[in-house]
Amino acid sequence: MEMKNFTGGQNLQAVAELYCSVEFTGEVHGELVFLSVVNTFLSITAFLGNTLILVALRKDTSIHPPSKLLYRNLAITDLCVGIIVAPLYVARSTSVVNKRWDICYYAYLTAYFASVTLCSVSLITLTAISVDRLLALRLGLRYRQVVTLKRTRLIAIGGWIVSVVGASTSFLNLRIVSLCRYIVLAFCLVTTICAYTKIFMSLPHNQIHVQNHVVQGQSSQANTLNIARYRKAVHGALWVQVTLVICYLPFFIAVALIIQRGRSLSTYLALQFTLTLVYLNSSLNPLLYCWKNREVRQGVKETLQQLHLCIN
């Protein structure tokens, strides 16, 4: 493929016009058709998987309500990727192939805004989950008094507001938005890494404390069970975090290449493939929830059994 460099403007509308033009996309129809098929499948799996997770979380009474709210928030963002972002991506790609540039333009603007908003909410929510797990370990009995449903709801709403405002600024200057995105990403990753590092450093000391209670003849069966459950919850949240980083990292690398080298057909294709990897994350999360959480897995099984009975 011949390499062409397109500088374009630095606002979202100019980039949408660039990416929705025959001069820029005339040589990549085959790749876009392939990605449209993949994203159609991911849209269906993200919708079905996260719907089941939301139903299962509603039935699960073992998770502390503020923690459940954060997982619900994350599942909602993944669900929105399945029913909003991925279909918009398919609409944009197919409109390019069919040379419907007006549909492509508005689909690109809407998909970009929704993608930035939902990805930001996911990052903020996962960071909040890591801090929540750290507070559960450090605060002990005070945890339920400090981490309340009302405060967690305010954090979740604040995350949505910040994400929507950040996505809205994309219509002004994309370069500034991209830099701010990297700052937010770095802050979330550093906070998450510090939280999990402190958790795994503190867990052995907490286990020794419980064993001392056993030696002193105090009842610690409940504490031991709580520690075992806590470890599973931490490992489950960590798996979700690592999977998100793996799925998102190639996209951020592609964006960095565009900032450094400018827009070209090769960077455009890299962006499309890495975007699909980002959307894949929304289909993987339900599998991780079922794998790492027995109660959620049981809730999903019961829901599927009820659906099977209703169909039959």
Side-chain angles (χ1 to χ4, degrees):
M1 182 184 301
E2 181 184 357
M3 189 74 167
K4 302 176 183 179
N5 188 41
F6 297 84
T7 56
Q10 292 304 322
N11 60 70
L12 187 58
Q13 295 91 327
V15 175
E17 292 176 357
L18 176 65
Y19 285 166
C20 295
S21 63
V22 65
E23 293 82 10
F24 195 88
T25 60
E27 302 179 33
V28 294
H29 286 186
E31 292 87 344
L32 291 179
V33 170
F34 169 75
L35 290 176
S36 295
V37 174
V38 173
N39 280 283
T40 299
F41 173 76
L42 294 180
S43 175
I44 296 172
T45 55
F47 168 72
L48 294 177
N50 288 286
T51 300
L52 288 172
I53 293 301
L54 287 171
V55 174
L57 286 173
R58 184 179 181 182
K59 296 179 179 179
D60 189 359
T61 59
S62 64
I63 303 177
H64 186 42
S67 301
K68 184 189 291 189
L69 175 63
L70 293 176
Y71 280 108
R72 278 180 174 174
N73 198 41
L74 189 60
I76 289 173
T77 61
D78 289 332
L79 179 65
C80 289
V81 170
I83 63 178
I84 299 176
V85 178
L88 282 172
Y89 179 92
V90 173
R92 177 169 66 87
S93 298
T94 54
S95 64
V96 169
V97 175
N98 295 314
K99 296 182 173 59
R100 295 295 305 272
W101 306 119
D102 53 340
I103 297 177
C104 175
Y105 176 79
Y106 290 108
Y108 180 88
L109 292 179
T110 309
Y112 188 96
F113 176 83
S115 296
V116 173
T117 299
L118 295 173
C119 290
S120 300
V121 173
S122 296
L123 285 170
I124 293 172
T125 303
L126 278 173
T127 304
I129 289 174
S130 66
V131 175
D132 172 71
R133 294 297 83 202
L134 177 61
L135 292 176
L137 182 65
R138 288 294 183 90
L139 295 178
L141 296 177
R142 294 178 53 241
Y143 167 71
R144 293 181 179 271
Q145 299 175 353
V146 175
V147 182
T148 62
L149 188 59
K150 181 179 179 180
R151 290 174 179 173
T152 307
R153 188 178 289 115
L154 289 175
I155 292 174
I157 294 173
W160 279 95
I161 293 174
V162 170
S163 300
V164 169
V165 171
S168 300
T169 57
S170 302
F171 294 92
L172 301 177
N173 191 302
L174 277 179
R175 187 175 294 274
I176 294 177
V177 172
S178 297
L179 292 176
C180 292
R181 190 185 306 166
Y182 279 101
I183 293 174
V184 172
L185 175 65
F187 172 78
C188 290
L189 288 179
V190 169
T191 302
T192 302
I193 291 172
C194 291
Y196 283 116
T197 301
K198 291 182 179 179
I199 287 172
F200 286 109
M201 290 178 63
S202 301
L203 270 176
H205 299 289
N206 192 280
Q207 185 67 45
I208 292 173
H209 178 71
V210 171
Q211 290 174 354
N212 289 336
H213 281 291
V214 175
V215 173
Q216 295 169 7
Q218 300 179 20
S219 176
S220 63
Q221 182 178 3
N223 289 332
T224 304
L225 291 175
N226 286 338
I227 289 177
R229 179 178 294 178
Y230 176 81
R231 285 180 179 272
K232 291 181 179 180
V234 169
H235 289 154
L238 187 57
W239 268 100
V240 174
Q241 180 77 47
V242 171
T243 303
L244 180 138
V245 172
I246 293 174
C247 291
Y248 278 44
L249 186 58
F251 169 76
F252 282 103
I253 293 175
V255 172
L257 288 175
I258 291 175
I259 294 175
Q260 181 181 4
R261 301 180 181 180
R263 296 179 179 89
S264 64
L265 289 179
S266 58
T267 56
Y268 173 78
L269 278 177
L271 197 65
Q272 304 314 304
F273 278 95
T274 55
L275 266 176
T276 301
L277 190 59
V278 169
Y279 301 154
L280 172 64
N281 179 251
S282 297
S283 296
L284 293 178
N285 281 341
L287 299 177
L288 294 174
Y289 298 148
C290 292
W291 175 38
K292 303 303 293 185
N293 191 303
R294 184 176 60 85
E295 289 78 11
V296 172
R297 182 168 62 250
Q298 184 61 33
V300 170
K301 288 181 180 180
E302 292 176 358
T303 303
L304 290 175
Q305 290 172 355
Q306 292 173 359
L307 288 174
H308 178 73
L309 292 175
C310 291
I311 294 174
N312 292 335

